[in-house]
Amino acid sequence: MAWLNRLPLPNALLLVAIVLLILPHLPHFPIWLSSAVLGVIVWRLLYDIGRVPLPNRFIRILLVLLGIAALLLTYRTLVGREAGTALLVLMLALKLFEMRGWRDVTVVVFLGFFVMVTAFLFSQSLLMGAYTLVVVTLLTASLISFQQPVRTVAREPLLGDLRHAFRILVQALPVALILFVLFPRIPGPLWGLPEDAGTSRTGLSDEMEPGRISRLADSNEVAFRVQFEANRPSSAQRYWRGPVLWQYDGRKWKTEPHQIRLPQQFDLDSNGPALEYQITLEPHNRQWLFALEMPASIPEQAQLNSEYQLLARRRISEVFRYEVRSYTDYRLDPRILLDRERYLALPPDTSPRTRELVKELAAETTSSAQMIQKVLNYFAEQPFYYTREPPLLFDDPVDEFMFETQRGFCEHYASAFTVMMRQAGIPARVVTGYYGGEMNPLADYMIVRQSDAHAWSEVWLRGRGWVRVDPTGVIPPSRVELSADLAQREPEVRSRLDAERPWWKHSLRRAGFAWDAVNNRWQQWVVGYNQNRQNALLRALGLDDINWGKLVFLLMVMVSLALLVIAALVFRTDRDAERQVNRLYRRFLRRLARRGMNKLPAETPGAFSERAVREQPARSQRIRQITQTYLLLRYADLDTQTQRRHLKWLARAVRQFRPD
């Protein structure tokens, strides 16, 4: 590692900081860009240790043009989240090729601050927040180090620069908190760009095509968290209603957007008490809101479509909280069904073998309710299996599933059941959403994950309205391939699996719940600190009628006061250091005075030192060192790190000094 002795400390700190700030972006970049950026950093490192020269001006301009052209070929644009971040990172890396003077260093460091902020466009987790603090500390330390005399990499100056940077960040913390709390919030996401709207981060879709997926992924990402006011729903009642699909073209189920029904048009009869709860929904870049079946209230900034699906008025691109009231015992549209033909429509000649089966079953029944039960019994009695790895379906997915593969997951069963209902003349539709949820034992809320995504059916019966039917639930436990899938609907199976886990898995699970509780607080109070939360906080502080002008004025006053307090503390620290130096020197003089050597009022420290040396020749070296250090601390313009190091040495030297 001899090359470390030739590497200047400021350059080492800056290169390490740049590598760390680029790392979170690498998974989002094409391989060529990641390789090019890392290659530039290695080139700069080799230059700093004297191995290679930097490219000349012509080559630098050529690299910039080639980089921009490659970005345009890759992204077809230079704006937006991915393309814009890639351009910034590329320019930051190429700037290293012309970093020679203090001005270039300043540009690179401040561009590094900005690139680190762009990481929040991809993740706003607590881990990313902590990671950002580490990178910002390194960037600040490199800026400090560039202002010191040139030093190579060594432990003591490195730790000194890091401590100095950390103190600066701590001093800036009050100002940052004031800006966070009082800076006027605008509606909409803080960390988002219009391009993000096309990206979905949920286990659901507004289309469903059974048979196109041969392996169902299992994601433990959180979809939303639920905090109940009082009672909680039982396991069998945890159906979280999402997109409702009613159009079927023979392969794919979909819906029409923007079918808005006004609140006074509800036709919902409820029995029993309502469940009141608050949902904290993770961003998924759709308008979907989720609620227990059946929602009886519409949250603020939301609406209800004709399929009784809650929709936000804008895409959910940030953490979104809303309150809902639901009835789990209900009758929906029990008296009349509007647009009946919509829920009976099927393409001509859809699933002919299934249609013949429906005719056979219908011949044995006398009512719609009997027909529904007959079909459910068929699924339970025939060798149908629930699996996450079903065979692909090609020509007619329903016929192939019913008579050939007989293996699938929830969307296979919901699709086949809904088609059979329509063939039997019973209005039906597919409902997607989530089923289940588990309580966090370390906090009072329920976690619903993307792996809980589910699909079921609704059928309309006269006098009862829309009735939920989940054909997946009738598959016998012996024909469910994974115990985890069975545990989702059978609480006793979940309890047995929990009891069978080894102790270390229990510990990891509890650690996961603890982390989720902490992350939930972070999401609610930091990432989710929006205009509504700010207004609620201001009202709690007695600032009810405050407009933007007053808020900005209050912000300026609070920041000014914080800066004055910080300046006073820094000045006081300097004065405290000066007083400590004088106190140590007076202690040194008292020890010499006990041996009859008193400093004269007009005598300078240097002159007194020479006189004391003549009287104490055995202590001459230590007397001169103490005096020189005292003069250095009193009159030299030292940085905080050097001042602290000399002050520490002086205190130890005076304490150990014993004149003859």
Side-chain angles (χ1 to χ4, degrees), residues 3 20 51 81 124 203 219 324 402 448 457 495 499 546 550 583 599 617 637:
W3 59 271
L20 290 179
R51 295 289 183 86
R81 185 178 64 169
Q124 301 95 41
S219 171
V324 193
M402 292 294 297
V448 179
S457 300
S495 299
I546 186 168
K550 293 179 180 178
R583 185 168 61 251
K599 182 178 177 294
D637 185 16

Side-chain angles (χ1 to χ4, degrees), residues 36-338:
V37 169
L38 294 177
V40 171
I41 295 173
V42 172
W43 193 332
R44 178 69 205 200
L45 175 63
L46 294 175
Y47 168 78
D48 288 335
I49 62 177
R51 295 289 183 86
V52 297
L54 289 178
N56 59 38
R57 181 180 179 85
F58 174 77
I59 294 179
R60 293 200 303 267
I61 294 175
L62 181 62
L63 289 175
V64 169
L65 295 177
L66 289 175
I68 293 175
L71 289 176
L72 286 173
L73 288 174
T74 302
Y75 295 103
R76 301 290 190 267
T77 181
L78 293 179
V79 298
R81 185 178 64 169
E82 285 83 3
T85 302
L87 178 63
L88 282 172
V89 170
L90 181 62
M91 293 301 105
L92 170 63
L94 293 177
K95 182 64 179 176
L96 295 175
F97 279 157
E98 62 175 11
M99 189 181 72
R100 298 180 186 274
W102 171 245
R103 176 183 175 274
D104 296 325
V105 169
T106 305
V107 171
V108 169
V109 170
F110 280 87
L111 185 57
F113 285 137
F114 193 79
V115 170
M116 191 66 245
V117 170
T118 62
F120 285 98
L121 295 172
F122 300 91
S123 172
Q124 301 95 41
S125 68
L126 179 57
L127 281 177
M128 181 57 69
Y131 186 85
T132 300
L133 285 178
V134 173
V135 176
V136 168
T137 302
L138 286 172
L139 286 172
T140 307
S142 69
L143 200 60
I144 294 169
S145 189
F146 272 105
Q147 301 180 64
Q148 308 298 327
V150 177
R151 300 159 297 171
T152 56
V153 177
R155 182 175 182 273
E156 186 173 346
L158 172 62
L159 293 179
D161 291 341
L162 290 174
R163 283 195 296 266
H164 195 172
F166 182 74
R167 282 195 298 271
I168 291 175
L169 294 181
V170 171
Q171 291 168 358
L173 186 60
V175 177
L177 289 175
I178 292 172
L179 290 171
F180 175 78
V181 172
L182 295 180
F183 194 86
R185 301 280 161 163
I186 59 175
L190 178 62
W191 307 106
L193 291 173
E195 183 186 69
D196 300 346
T199 304
S200 175
R201 289 177 287 176
T202 176
L204 301 177
S205 172
D206 51 8
E207 295 182 350
M208 188 181 83
E209 189 171 358
R212 292 298 300 272
I213 299 175
S214 62
R215 183 179 180 86
L216 184 63
D218 187 10
S219 171
N220 281 324
E221 290 187 15
V222 175
F224 53 88
R225 300 174 177 89
V226 191
Q227 190 159 13
F228 294 94
E229 293 293 331
N231 298 328
R232 302 169 188 165
S234 65
S235 298
Q237 296 173 331
R238 296 174 186 174
Y239 284 86
W240 306 92
R241 191 179 185 89
V244 180
L245 315 177
W246 56 270
Q247 286 185 330
Y248 185 62
D249 61 5
R251 292 196 60 90
K252 182 188 300 182
W253 291 92
K254 57 185 179 179
T255 188
E256 288 184 0
H258 309 305
Q259 308 161 74
I260 308 305
R261 173 172 289 186
L262 298 178
Q264 57 264 32
Q265 293 178 292
F266 283 179
D267 190 7
L268 179 66
D269 294 344
S270 58
N271 298 314
L275 293 175
E276 297 184 357
Y277 51 96
Q278 182 187 76
I279 289 182
T280 302
L281 180 62
E282 293 293 312
H284 54 68
N285 286 320
R286 303 280 191 157
Q287 291 179 268
W288 307 329
L289 301 180
F290 301 94
L292 278 175
E293 290 188 330
M294 186 60 67
S297 65
I298 300 178
E300 294 183 10
Q301 303 180 359
Q303 52 200 3
L304 194 72
N305 70 7
S306 60
E307 310 299 330
Y308 291 90
Q309 179 194 356
L310 288 174
L311 296 170
R313 297 187 184 276
R314 56 179 176 82
R315 292 181 181 270
I316 306 300
S317 51
E318 60 179 340
V319 174
F320 187 76
R321 282 179 303 279
Y322 55 98
E323 295 181 353
V324 193
R325 185 179 72 256
S326 294
Y327 290 96
T328 56
D329 186 2
Y330 62 89
R331 292 194 303 167
L332 179 63
D333 290 337
R335 284 164 282 277
I336 188 171
L337 175 63
L338 301 176

Side-chain angles (χ1 to χ4, degrees), residues 245-509:
L245 315 177
W246 56 270
Q247 286 185 330
Y248 185 62
D249 61 5
R251 292 196 60 90
K252 182 188 300 182
W253 291 92
K254 57 185 179 179
T255 188
E256 288 184 0
H258 309 305
Q259 308 161 74
I260 308 305
R261 173 172 289 186
L262 298 178
Q264 57 264 32
Q265 293 178 292
F266 283 179
D267 190 7
L268 179 66
D269 294 344
S270 58
N271 298 314
L275 293 175
E276 297 184 357
Y277 51 96
Q278 182 187 76
I279 289 182
T280 302
L281 180 62
E282 293 293 312
H284 54 68
N285 286 320
R286 303 280 191 157
Q287 291 179 268
W288 307 329
L289 301 180
F290 301 94
L292 278 175
E293 290 188 330
M294 186 60 67
S297 65
I298 300 178
E300 294 183 10
Q301 303 180 359
Q303 52 200 3
L304 194 72
N305 70 7
S306 60
E307 310 299 330
Y308 291 90
Q309 179 194 356
L310 288 174
L311 296 170
R313 297 187 184 276
R314 56 179 176 82
R315 292 181 181 270
I316 306 300
S317 51
E318 60 179 340
V319 174
F320 187 76
R321 282 179 303 279
Y322 55 98
E323 295 181 353
V324 193
R325 185 179 72 256
S326 294
Y327 290 96
T328 56
D329 186 2
Y330 62 89
R331 292 194 303 167
L332 179 63
D333 290 337
R335 284 164 282 277
I336 188 171
L337 175 63
L338 301 176
D339 300 325
R340 181 184 179 90
E341 295 304 317
R342 158 192 298 190
Y343 306 110
L344 290 172
L346 288 172
D349 302 323
T350 298
S351 308
R353 287 187 289 174
T354 303
R355 188 181 296 275
E356 291 300 319
L357 173 63
V358 168
K359 289 181 180 179
E360 294 177 10
L361 297 177
E364 303 173 7
T365 62
T366 58
S367 67
S368 297
Q370 289 182 0
M371 182 61 188
I372 293 170
Q373 191 57 51
K374 198 73 174 177
V375 173
L376 292 177
N377 291 342
Y378 183 84
F379 280 120
E381 295 167 359
Q382 297 299 313
F384 286 92
Y385 286 81
Y386 183 93
T387 177
R388 296 191 181 198
E389 299 182 10
L392 292 174
L393 305 176
F394 299 99
D395 297 332
D396 191 318
V398 173
D399 270 2
E400 291 176 26
F401 169 69
M402 292 294 297
F403 298 100
E404 297 174 20
T405 67
Q406 295 185 325
R407 303 172 67 86
F409 46 87
C410 57
E411 66 179 33
H412 294 77
Y413 291 95
S415 175
F417 180 84
T418 305
V419 167
M420 294 176 75
M421 290 298 100
R422 291 189 177 189
Q423 289 175 337
I426 302 172
R429 60 193 180 190
V430 175
V431 183
T432 62
Y434 296 90
Y435 173 65
E438 60 179 338
M439 293 299 300
N440 186 333
L442 305 180
D444 188 25
Y445 64 86
M446 180 180 291
I447 304 172
V448 179
R449 305 183 186 277
Q450 296 296 353
S451 57
D452 296 322
H454 194 51
W456 59 94
S457 300
E458 276 187 337
V459 296
W460 189 83
L461 301 177
R462 187 174 301 277
R464 295 178 59 186
W466 287 106
V467 178
R468 179 178 64 238
V469 181
D470 188 354
T472 309
V474 303
I475 304 302
S478 59
R479 299 207 298 266
V480 177
E481 288 191 349
L482 296 179
S483 299
D485 294 322
L486 186 59
Q488 190 177 32
R489 73 188 197 198
E490 301 287 346
E492 58 275 10
V493 176
R494 181 189 293 269
S495 299
R496 177 174 57 81
L497 291 178
D498 288 342
E500 292 175 353
R501 286 192 180 95
W503 67 269
W504 60 271
K505 285 191 175 182
H506 272 294
S507 300
L508 287 177
R509 185 173 173 81

Side-chain angles (χ1 to χ4, degrees), residues 561-576:
L561 289 175
L563 291 175
L564 287 174
V565 171
I566 293 169
L569 291 175
V570 172
F571 179 74
R572 180 180 177 183
T573 301
D574 293 340
R575 293 296 301 272
D576 288 344

